Amino acid sequence: MWGADMLNDGQGRVLGELDKGYDAAKGYLGQAGNVYAGMTGQGQQGLERYNALTLGSGADIKKALEGSGGYQFNLDQGLQALQRTRAAQGMLNSGNTDTDAMSFASGLASNTLGAERQALRPYLGMYQQGIGGQAGVYGQQAAAASDYYGNRGSIMDNTTKSIVGLGTDAFKAGDQAKAANQQMMLGALGSVAGLAGTALGGGFGAGGLFTNILSPKKG
């Protein structure tokens, strides 16, 4: 059917454009998702480090702090400087040296811990932004997919309905043409029957067909 072919061709073109738009949207959303995934990955490292320096027991936090190369270097350098100072004063083996060493180590640990936690805060923000961004991208991808398949279904449904409508109209037109032909035939038959009746009726009257045939006028 010519009309159905046109509808199917039109549907194919519209669906093709819809596919292009959906693929482009997926590409852009995928790029955005990759950016947010990178932010999440970097932020995750900072979050784990922050948790190690914040959560758990004091021994766990001390162990995590001691694993920092900068802290260990500063501790060693500070203790060596303290020992040299006490040695120069002739107080290397005094109890004050041990007390000073403990105070220095404790102060360094406290200061370093606070400084490291503060330095890790941007990573926490990065992690939160990355997670929020990824969630937003997933939501947009879901919405795009829902719109895409919904539009495809609507387009195909409308095409199907239009094709069915064309078929129905064709059947109706055929029925109407058939009925019209039947009416014309009945009308024609009626006219023939009327003419035949007139001819037969005239045969029984004066001047009728049969009278003329049976009793032709003399010239």
Side-chain angles (χ1 to χ4, degrees):
M1 185 184 298
W2 179 74
D5 291 340
M6 286 190 64
L7 288 171
N8 284 324
D9 290 342
Q11 173 184 277
R13 289 193 296 270
V14 173
L15 291 178
E17 293 301 317
L18 185 63
D19 291 342
K20 291 179 182 178
Y22 179 60
D23 290 340
K26 284 199 304 183
Y28 291 132
L29 289 173
Q31 293 177 15
N34 291 336
V35 172
Y36 285 121
M39 293 176 63
T40 302
Q42 294 180 21
Q44 179 72 37
Q45 298 178 9
L47 176 63
E48 292 174 354
R49 177 64 178 167
Y50 184 86
N51 288 339
L53 295 173
T54 305
L55 306 178
S57 64
D60 293 334
I61 295 175
K62 182 175 180 295
K63 182 178 180 180
L65 184 62
E66 290 175 348
S68 171
Y71 167 76
Q72 194 62 48
F73 174 80
N74 291 332
L75 178 62
D76 292 341
Q77 292 297 311
L79 291 177
Q80 290 177 15
L82 181 60
Q83 289 179 349
R84 287 195 296 269
T85 300
R86 291 305 184 188
Q89 295 174 349
M91 301 173 59
L92 184 61
N93 295 324
S94 67
N96 290 334
T97 301
D98 294 335
T99 301
D100 292 342
M102 292 176 61
S103 297
F104 170 75
S106 177
L108 178 64
S110 178
N111 292 334
T112 303
L113 184 61
E116 289 215 12
R117 286 175 177 171
Q118 187 65 32
L120 290 170
R121 289 187 181 278
Y123 289 93
L124 305 183
M126 184 183 297
Y127 178 77
Q128 292 175 345
Q129 292 178 13
I131 290 295
Q134 283 183 298
V137 168
Y138 290 145
Q140 293 180 51
Q141 287 176 334
S146 177
D147 291 343
Y148 169 71
Y149 288 107
N151 289 333
R152 280 187 64 90
S154 178
I155 292 169
M156 296 172 70
D157 181 61
N158 289 335
T159 300
T160 300
K161 289 179 179 178
S162 297
I163 292 174
V164 171
L166 287 176
T168 302
D169 292 342
F171 282 125
K172 288 180 179 179
D175 289 340
Q176 291 174 355
K178 182 178 179 181
N181 289 333
Q182 290 176 347
Q183 291 294 330
M184 291 178 61
M185 291 179 65
L186 290 174
L189 290 174
S191 298
V192 172
L195 290 174
T198 301
L200 292 173
F204 297 100
L209 176 62
F210 290 108
T211 302
N212 293 333
I213 292 174
L214 295 176
S215 303
K217 294 181 179 181
K218 295 180 180 181

